[in-house]
Amino acid sequence: MEERNQDIAALFTRADGNYVFARWGRPIVPVVFGVDDATLAVFKGAIEAVVTLAGHQMAETDPELGANFMIFFCRDWAELPQVPHLDALVPDLLPLVAKLQQADANQYRIFRFDAAGAIRAAFVFLRMDDHLGAVSADTLALSQAVQTILLWSDTAFDQQPPLAMIEGNAVLRPEIADVIRAAYDPVMPAMDRDASHALRLQARITRPS
C-alpha cells in the first residue's frame, strides 16, 4: 500500500519536488483547430469518454471563453503566431514558439486556473512531426484527453505512458483510470499542494493489490 501511495504522489510531484494537484472546476468545452471533420469527431469522442470516466461534465459553451479546451494542430511551430487572436490567449507567444523550436518539441500544454486553483482552461499544441504523424488519431486523441483532464506532474509519464496497447488498440491503463475517478470524487478538493492529498486519493481507489 505504501508503494502505491508513493506511485500516486509521484504523478503530481513536479521535477522541483513540489506536489501540485488540480482538476477542472467547470464543464469542459473543447474545440480543435487544424484537422478535418473526421479527426475532430475522434478527438471530441475521446474527450467525452475521459470526462465521463471522471464523472465530470461537458458543455456547449463556456461563459468566459466560449471554448475552454483548445487543441491546435500545426506542421511547424512558426504557424502559431499566424493564428488570429492566439497571442491574446497565450501571453508571450513568440518566446514560447522560439522555445518549442529550440527544443524540437512536438507537443505542449498550457493550463489556466481560476481563483480557487481549479483548471479553467487548457491549450494543447501539437506539431505533427514524423513521430506524431505515425500515431493513430484514436491514440493521440485519448492520450491528450487523459493528459489534460488533470494537472499531472511534468514528469508523471516519463517512465510509463498513461496508455497501453492491447491487441493493437490504445487503452487507458487501469491504475491511471482509478486515479482520475478518485480525483473527481465530489468530496475531494479541486486543487491541493499537500502530498497528503495522494493518501486521500489512494483511500478512494478500491482496486485489489
Side-chain angles (χ1 to χ4, degrees), residues 47-98:
I47 294 168
E48 184 174 7
V50 174
V51 169
T52 299
L53 167 71
H56 194 52
Q57 302 85 36
M58 293 180 68
E60 291 296 323
T61 186
D62 178 86
E64 183 181 355
L65 295 172
N68 56 28
F69 182 5
M70 303 183 189
I71 303 174
F72 299 86
F73 280 80
C74 65
R75 291 288 178 183
D76 189 293
W77 291 126
E79 297 172 20
L80 293 185
Q82 302 171 26
V83 177
H85 311 301
L86 184 58
D87 56 345
L89 295 171
V90 182
D92 300 322
L93 180 61
L94 291 179
L96 172 61
V97 167

Side-chain angles (χ1 to χ4, degrees), residues 1 4-5 8 21 23 53-54 174-189 192 196-208:
M1 181 68 74
R4 295 190 70 184
N5 288 339
I8 292 176
F21 165 88
R23 71 185 187 197
L53 167 71
E175 61 270 28
I176 298 301
D178 286 342
V179 172
I180 293 172
R181 278 190 291 261
Y184 277 87
D185 186 315
V187 305
M188 294 292 285
D192 207 317
S196 64
H197 173 266
L199 299 176
R200 298 180 63 191
L201 287 176
Q202 179 59 59
R204 284 159 177 79
I205 296 175
T206 57
R207 184 172 300 278

Side-chain angles (χ1 to χ4, degrees), residues 15-37:
D16 62 8
N18 290 317
Y19 186 95
V20 184
F21 165 88
R23 71 185 187 197
W24 284 82
R26 61 182 64 191
I28 294 175
V29 184
V31 63
V32 186
F33 300 94
V35 297
D36 57 25
D37 289 344

Side-chain angles (χ1 to χ4, degrees), residues 126-202:
L126 300 172
R127 180 176 68 86
M128 297 304 290
D129 61 2
D130 291 343
H131 176 70
L132 286 190
V135 177
S136 72
D138 296 77
T139 300
L140 186 59
L142 182 58
S143 175
Q144 296 304 321
V146 169
Q147 292 185 78
T148 317
I149 192 67
L150 294 170
L151 180 67
W152 305 96
S153 161
D154 52 343
T155 61
F157 303 119
D158 283 357
Q159 301 301 316
Q160 190 173 36
L163 307 185
M165 298 300 294
I166 297 180
E167 298 181 352
N169 296 313
V171 297
L172 180 57
R173 285 168 41 211
E175 61 270 28
I176 298 301
D178 286 342
V179 172
I180 293 172
R181 278 190 291 261
Y184 277 87
D185 186 315
V187 305
M188 294 292 285
M191 185 278 292
D192 207 317
R193 292 180 176 270
D194 192 315
S196 64
H197 173 266
L199 299 176
R200 298 180 63 191
L201 287 176
Q202 179 59 59

